[in-house]
């Protein structure tokens, strides 16, 4: 087996941009009639072979540079150009159609430049001329050595709104050009490389700060951070409370929740610290937002709410006008409610579930892996070798359990090491974690902040990873860097050949999307689309619908702020002061976002077209503090983890953060004899990936995840029969039986994972058997819905068996014989309904 173990690459030089309208132009014109260009226009090549644009690119040193050409081609015909560098041919570049003249895309090429001025010429090779040329960006390695960290940072003269900082100079092989004074991962002030003291005057009173300083050289290489100074600014002496929140209103209700919104208060200080929501006299939510959803309510019941505003000095406004709202009678929507505490942990950064229903969680600052059962039993199964912290956001971060865990017992981890961030593989078998790890992908630049770190396997079986820019923002647009990206990797560490920049080679082979600052959560919807959350700098956090090869704008564009033309716009943004989207999860096309800064869980529904989201509701505001991860459980709930006190290396001596379980009203609870799927609700549409619409071929479908409890059936085993019941019929599609009841001994549920393998004896399912309609290989694997246009109803019927095996069946039994035998061997049954209109 070959693993792609890459060395840590040197930092990229700060990119230089060269607008086409300022280049030398032959047989072309500067125009501005198509929107979306940068600069003052673009070059429209004449439609003749030989028309060209020639750029002058200066390089301080000789070496390889990445050239990125931004262009538009509103035709369906490729408009190739020949590339030359200082008169020497450097190959041909393809510029295929972009769909419209207002749609701008990029292509890249690595070339070797000489020190000094270089002439980069693109010459049309066909009578169609070249594309509309917007600009050329040159980036690459000039200086590989980062500055040393600044030393002995100290704070003095701390006031309510300002503080003065001093530090000792960093050193660099070329020279330090700037220092960034940072609070957490956000820049408060930038000064030049000769300045070793500065006053920051945009602080807030009565507020805790953790401040560090980083040094940068002219190539954009960031140092590691200085020591951290912590302090709390004094109160300002203000005694004037904010104005009363206005227009308190209910925006929606369900059987268990009421969503509230209100108008902003004002304060003489100019800043509102937050809002407190009261249900009667009980405070039920604390939020920086202008809305909150109160959960855990009773159906058909009236509740009265008020809201108060607070300023930074703790002055509270009077209560708003009271609002009475009544919950509905029927459960609906995707609003979960608190179920129970599972356990406590130090900093459980990421969670994934094993096939037996237990979970593995990463302890960021202890570098340990916890095994947690649904009942809350907790065991430390081992420590990840080589994992280190960064006194900030690094450490042991993401975890993803192999889709083939039943056979390979593999788990994948993202962690900080002595010289980089990396993805490694370990094994967990029979309760034991392997003592060593195997590198899968290395050379991801680390820093105190912006390390990314989420890992998840996609529906395609590939491993996806979020990677921050490592505090070097220029890396996000450089496809030759692994940083500032979402990466896509084969489980063996090689690059998938269908990655968008695979043919470019190098690190670009692993890039799925780029232009990210510090991406966090990853989750897929019912269409198989990837969504991701991202921390912004000082303006906007993001929820993105990820496009293959998409440029998400950083650092030129943050959310919707900045120069955003030609980049993929987010589907939702939050102000960084009231957002902080970390881990995300998707259940029944509702997106759940664990937010650290605003200390709440966001919930929003993907729209019917699948290309956006509806209004966002804020849940559990202030209840558990900084929420880090949200993960769907095999039994149809959500696990949420908090990571408070996580900013400066955590408090690994204290077990003071929560792992809690949320439930959905009306869903089966652990142990109940009720069949559920984490992929779709009862009587809802079955996602395309589990039907013939998933791949366009009948009988080649992915089976959905299914879970149930033993209830009071006393079952010795289980079976499931799947059928099309349109027009009161019973067209049998698939059956699985002889599912062992003993699986329930390790969890409160029995479950079948998504994507069961093929074969009469179901792979990795402890003797379970299966049979399906169809012939050949299709008769021994899940056969999903394929009704051919119109919507059909389907049922998954779960049977509790009075014996461990169903007698009298073989691989040659018909579907009707199998269903009859299962019914005869059963003591109880329950149904999960679904709908499908998948075309055949």
């Amino acid at each position: 087996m070959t693993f792609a173990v890459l060395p840590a690459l040197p930092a990229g030089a700060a990119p230089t941009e060269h607008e086409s309208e300022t280049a030398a132009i032959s047989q072309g014109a500067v125009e501005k009639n198509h929107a979306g260009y940068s600069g003052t226009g673009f070059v429209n090549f004449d439609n003749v072979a030989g028309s060209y644009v020639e750029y002058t690119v200066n390089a301080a040193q000789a070496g390889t540079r990445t050239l990125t050409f931004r262009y538009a081609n509103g035709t369906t015909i490729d408009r190739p150009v020949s590339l030359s560098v200082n008169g020497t041919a450097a190959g041909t570049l393809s510029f295929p159609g972009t769909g419209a003249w207002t749609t701008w895309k990029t292509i890249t090429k690595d070339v070797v430049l000489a020190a000094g001025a270089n002439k980069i010429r693109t010459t049309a090779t066909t009578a169609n001329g070249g594309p509309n040329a917007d600009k050329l960006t040159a980036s690459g390695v000039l200086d590989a050595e980062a500055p040393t960290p600044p030393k002995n940072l100290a704070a003095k003269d701390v006031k309510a709104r300002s503080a003065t900082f001093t530090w000792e100079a960093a050193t660099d092989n070329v020279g330090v050009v700037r220092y960034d004074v940072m609070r957490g991962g956000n820049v408060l002030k930038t000064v030049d490389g000769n300045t070793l003291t500065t006053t920051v005057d945009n602080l807030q009173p009565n507020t805790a700060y953790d401040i560090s300083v980083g040094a940068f050289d002219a190539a954009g290489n960031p140092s590691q951070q200085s020591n951290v100074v912590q302090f709390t600014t004094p109160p300002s002496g203000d005694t004037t409370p904010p104005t009363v929140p206005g227009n308190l209103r209910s925006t929606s209700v369900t059987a268990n929740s009421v969503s509230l919104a209100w108008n902003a208060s004002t304060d003489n200080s100019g800043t509102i610290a937050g809002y407190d929501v009261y249900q009667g006299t009980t405070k039920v939510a604390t939020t920086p937002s202008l809305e909150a959803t109160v959960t855990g309510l009773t159906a058909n019941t009236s509740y009265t709410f008020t809201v108060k505003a607070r300023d930074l000095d703790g002055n509270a406004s009077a209560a708003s006008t009271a609002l009475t709202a009544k919950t509905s009678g029927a459960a609906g929507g995707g609003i979960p409610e608190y179920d129970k505490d599972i356990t406590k942990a130090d900093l459980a950064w990421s969670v994934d579930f094993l096939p037996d229903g237990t979970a593995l969680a990463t302890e960021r600052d202890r570098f340990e892996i916890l095994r947690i059962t649904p009942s809350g039993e907790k065991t430390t199964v081992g420590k990840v070798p080589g994992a280190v912290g960064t006194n900030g956001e690094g450490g042991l971060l993401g975890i993803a359990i192999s889709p083939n865990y039943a056979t390979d017992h593999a788990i994948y981890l993202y962690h900080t090491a002595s010289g980089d961030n990396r993805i490694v593989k370990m094994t967990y078998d029979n309760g034991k974690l392997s003592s060593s790890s195997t590198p899968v992908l290395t050379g991801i630049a680390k820093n105190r902040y912006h390390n990314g770190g989420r890992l998840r396997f996609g529906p395609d079986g590939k491993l996806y990873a979020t990677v921050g820019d490592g505090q070097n923002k220029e890396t996000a647009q450089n496809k030759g860097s692994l940083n500032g990206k979402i990466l896509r990797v084969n489980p063996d560490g090689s690059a998938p050949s269908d990655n968008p920049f695979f043919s470019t080679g190098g690190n670009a082979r692993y890039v799925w999307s780029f232009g990210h600052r510090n991406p966090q959560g990853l989750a897929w919807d019912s269409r198989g689309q990837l969504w991701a959350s991202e921390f912004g700098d000082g303006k906007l956090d993001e929820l993105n619908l990820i496009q293959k090869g998409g440029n998400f704008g950083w650092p030129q564009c943050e959310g919707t702020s900045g120069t955003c033309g030609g980049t993929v716009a987010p589907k939702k943004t939050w102000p960084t002061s009231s957002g902080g989207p970390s881990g995300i999860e998707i259940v029944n096309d509702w997106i759940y976002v664990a937010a650290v800064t605003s200390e709440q869980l966001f919930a929003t529904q993907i729209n019917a077209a699948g290309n956006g989201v509806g209004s966002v509701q804020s849940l559990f505001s202030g209840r558990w503090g900084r929420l880090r991860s949200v993960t769907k459980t095999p039994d149809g709930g959500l696990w949420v983890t908090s990571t408070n006190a996580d900013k400066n290396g955590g408090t690994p001596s204290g077990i003071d953060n929560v792992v809690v379980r949320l439930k959905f009203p009306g869903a089966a609870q652990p142990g109940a004899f009720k069949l559920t799927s984490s992929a779709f609700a009862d009587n809802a549409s079955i996602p395309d990936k589990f039907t013939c619409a998933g791949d366009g071929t009948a009988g080649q479908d992915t089976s959905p995840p299914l879970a149930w409890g033993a209830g009071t059936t006393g079952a010795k085993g289980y079976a499931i029969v799947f059928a099309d019941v349109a027009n009161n019929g019973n067209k049998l599609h698939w059956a699985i039986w002889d599912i062992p009841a003993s699986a329930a001994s390790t969890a409160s549920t029995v479950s079948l994972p998504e994507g069961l393998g093929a074969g009469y004896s179901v792979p990795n399912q402890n003797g379970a058997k299966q049979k399906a309609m169809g012939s050949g290989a299709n008769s021994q694997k899940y056969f999903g819905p394929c009704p051919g246009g119109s919507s059909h109803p389907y049922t998954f019927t779960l049977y509790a068996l009075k014996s461990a095996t169903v007698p009298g069946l073989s691989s040659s039994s018909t579907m009707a014989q199998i269903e009859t035998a299962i019914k005869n061997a059963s003591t109880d049954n329950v149904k999960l309904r679904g709908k499908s209109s998948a075309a055949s």
Side-chain angles (χ1 to χ4, degrees):
M1 181 177 292
T2 301
F3 291 89
V5 182
L6 301 181
L9 297 180
T16 57
E17 295 191 346
H18 308 270
E19 295 289 347
S20 300
E21 62 269 23
T22 64
I25 304 167
S26 175
Q27 296 179 287
V30 176
E31 297 179 355
K32 54 180 66 178
N33 57 318
H34 298 304
Y37 57 82
S38 62
T40 59
F42 58 87
V43 172
N44 181 0
F45 281 74
D46 288 350
N47 292 344
V48 294
S51 52
Y52 70 78
V53 178
E54 185 176 270
Y55 308 85
T56 300
V57 176
N58 288 299
Q61 297 172 248
T64 300
R65 306 291 186 273
T66 297
L67 304 182
T68 301
F69 298 88
R70 188 170 189 264
Y71 78 100
N73 179 0
T75 74
T76 59
I77 300 172
D78 187 18
R79 295 193 168 198
V81 302
S82 62
L83 177 68
S84 66
V85 178
N86 298 323
T88 301
T92 299
L93 303 177
S94 176
F95 290 92
T98 60
W101 292 110
T102 55
T103 300
W104 302 85
K105 295 187 177 181
T106 61
I107 63 102
T108 61
K109 176 71 173 180
D110 288 345
V111 298
V112 176
L113 300 186
N118 293 265
K119 299 296 184 181
I120 310 295
R121 180 178 292 190
T122 56
T123 305
T125 61
T126 72
N128 293 315
N132 284 353
D134 182 36
K135 67 178 178 181
L136 165 66
T137 301
S139 58
V141 177
L142 293 178
D143 172 13
E145 186 173 330
T148 62
K151 293 181 179 180
N152 295 325
L153 174 66
K156 62 180 182 180
D157 197 20
V158 176
K159 299 178 180 178
R161 297 186 180 277
S162 66
T164 299
F165 302 97
T166 61
W167 60 91
E168 294 179 10
T171 60
D172 186 70
N173 62 316
V174 176
V176 173
V177 298
R178 82 174 197 267
Y179 293 98
D180 282 352
V181 181
M182 303 187 71
R183 179 192 186 188
N186 302 107
V187 177
L188 292 178
K189 189 171 183 179
T190 298
V191 297
D192 64 50
N194 296 315
T195 299
L196 300 177
T197 183
T198 189
T199 297
V200 176
D201 57 9
N202 56 350
L203 305 183
Q204 300 287 0
N206 200 28
T207 302
Y209 285 89
D210 58 294
I211 304 295
S212 61
V213 174
F216 293 79
D217 62 20
N221 297 305
S223 74
Q224 298 298 309
Q225 294 296 111
S226 71
N227 59 295
V228 178
V229 293
Q230 295 177 285
F231 57 87
T232 298
T233 52
S236 68
D238 172 29
T239 59
T240 303
T243 61
V244 175
N247 191 26
L248 177 62
R249 58 201 181 272
S250 173
T251 55
S252 67
V253 298
T254 69
N256 72 314
S257 70
V258 173
S259 295
L260 304 170
W262 55 88
N263 294 350
S265 297
T266 59
D267 189 70
N268 62 318
S269 70
T271 302
I272 298 295
Y275 297 89
D276 296 325
V277 179
Y278 290 83
Q279 179 185 317
T281 59
T282 302
K283 184 162 62 175
V284 292
T286 296
T287 176
S289 307
L290 294 175
E291 50 84 24
T293 296
V294 182
T295 63
L297 306 180
T298 302
N300 283 319
T301 304
S302 294
Y303 295 89
T304 299
F305 302 96
T306 55
V307 178
K308 296 180 181 180
R310 286 177 290 102
D311 66 17
L312 290 163
D313 284 295
N315 302 303
S317 74
S320 68
T321 301
L323 171 76
T324 298
K326 187 177 182 180
T327 53
S328 63
I335 305 303
E337 61 187 23
Y338 169 75
D339 183 13
K340 62 180 180 179
D341 287 358
I342 296 296
T343 191
K344 285 195 172 181
D346 174 30
L347 293 175
W349 201 92
S350 189
V351 174
D352 200 4
F353 282 88
L354 293 160
D356 67 0
T358 62
L360 296 181
T362 56
E363 283 277 29
R364 191 194 71 178
D365 299 324
R366 292 169 176 253
F367 320 125
E368 295 172 344
I369 295 178
L370 301 178
R371 176 182 179 269
I372 307 173
T373 71
S375 62
E377 297 176 17
K378 183 177 66 175
T379 308
T380 300
V381 300
K383 198 164 187 174
V384 176
V388 301
T390 64
N391 292 322
E393 297 171 351
L396 177 57
L397 302 175
I399 184 171
I401 294 170
S402 168
N404 302 311
Y405 177 82
T407 54
D408 62 21
H409 301 288
I411 62 173
Y412 292 77
L413 301 160
Y414 185 118
H415 73 81
T416 307
S418 60
D420 62 359
N421 287 313
R422 55 182 50 198
I423 301 170
V424 302
K425 186 175 82 166
M426 300 182 73
T427 58
Y428 174 70
D429 191 13
N430 292 323
K432 295 181 180 180
L433 185 70
S434 57
S435 59
S436 62
S437 65
T438 302
V440 174
L441 190 64
T442 65
I444 302 168
K446 71 172 186 175
N447 213 301
R448 183 179 179 217
Y449 305 112
H450 305 185
N451 294 292
R454 197 73 57 182
L455 290 180
R456 292 197 84 164
F457 277 96
D460 54 7
K462 308 301 183 184
L463 183 62
Y464 291 74
T466 65
V467 180
D469 65 13
Q471 292 186 245
N472 183 358
K473 61 182 65 175
E474 285 77 15
T475 62
Q477 292 293 323
N478 179 4
K479 298 186 189 71
S481 168
L482 296 171
N483 289 82
K485 310 293 191 302
I486 293 176
L487 306 178
R488 180 173 178 258
V489 184
N490 287 321
D492 67 357
S494 61
S497 60
D498 59 340
N499 275 358
F501 311 109
F502 180 82
S503 61
T504 303
N507 287 334
R509 293 174 297 161
Y510 301 95
V511 174
W512 187 251
S513 62
F514 64 103
H516 298 288
R517 177 183 178 271
N518 195 11
Q520 293 290 298
L522 295 170
W524 284 262
D525 65 19
S526 66
R527 293 174 171 83
Q529 299 179 128
L530 174 60
W531 296 75
S533 56
E534 183 163 341
F535 290 154
D537 188 27
K539 295 178 180 178
L540 295 172
D541 295 327
E542 303 174 16
L543 175 65
N544 289 304
L545 177 55
I546 300 301
Q547 296 181 13
K548 177 181 180 180
N551 180 359
F552 287 81
W554 178 254
Q556 291 80 16
C557 176
E558 179 187 349
T560 56
S561 176
T563 304
C564 299
T567 66
V568 183
K571 299 303 181 182
K572 169 65 184 175
T573 62
W574 295 268
T576 53
S577 60
S578 57
S582 186
I584 70 173
E585 186 59 279
I586 297 177
V587 179
N588 300 333
D589 280 348
W590 278 76
I591 302 178
Y592 304 94
V593 185
V596 292
T597 306
S598 60
E599 301 185 351
Q600 53 199 352
L601 183 73
F602 296 122
T604 185
Q605 189 173 23
I606 300 171
N607 63 24
N611 59 5
V613 297
S615 61
V616 176
Q617 300 181 58
S618 300
L619 315 177
F620 312 107
S621 302
R623 182 163 178 175
W624 297 298
R626 293 165 60 83
L627 302 186
R628 178 64 59 180
S629 72
V630 53
T631 311
K632 61 186 175 185
T633 67
D635 59 17
L638 295 170
W639 274 17
V640 173
T641 70
S642 68
T643 56
N644 297 295
D646 61 343
K647 294 181 180 180
N648 300 297
T651 53
S653 61
I655 306 299
D656 48 12
N657 279 294
V658 300
V659 181
V660 299
R661 184 183 187 278
L662 308 181
K663 63 182 179 181
F664 294 95
Q669 300 310 310
F673 187 60
K674 181 175 181 180
L675 183 63
T676 64
S677 175
S678 59
F680 62 96
D682 182 48
N683 211 27
S685 294
I686 300 171
D688 286 352
K689 67 182 292 186
F690 307 117
T691 75
C692 68
D695 59 6
T697 303
Q700 298 293 322
D701 312 316
T702 299
S703 64
L706 298 167
W708 62 96
T712 59
T713 62
K716 302 296 192 298
Y718 298 97
I720 295 173
V721 176
F722 176 55
D724 183 340
V725 293
N727 302 315
N728 295 315
N730 189 42
K731 185 177 181 180
L732 300 170
H733 271 239
W734 172 71
I736 181 170
W737 64 98
D738 294 357
I739 303 168
S742 58
S745 63
T746 57
S748 58
T749 61
V750 187
S751 63
L752 292 175
E754 178 181 316
L756 292 172
Y760 176 68
S761 292
V762 188
N764 309 314
Q765 291 304 314
N766 302 307
K769 307 294 190 297
Q770 67 179 340
K771 190 74 184 291
M773 63 185 294
S775 59
N778 286 350
S779 69
Q780 294 186 353
K781 70 183 301 289
Y782 170 76
F783 200 116
C786 203
S790 62
S791 180
H792 280 202
Y794 291 81
T795 60
F796 292 85
T797 303
L798 169 68
Y799 293 91
L801 302 177
K802 56 190 175 186
S803 57
T805 60
V806 178
L809 296 181
S810 69
S811 60
S812 60
S813 298
T814 66
M815 291 299 297
Q817 290 170 336
I818 291 168
E819 183 188 39
T820 298
I822 289 172
K823 287 181 176 180
N824 291 337
S826 71
T827 59
D828 199 358
N829 69 83
V830 66
K831 297 182 185 299
L832 171 64
R833 299 167 295 172
K835 301 174 183 177
S836 178
S837 58
S840 59

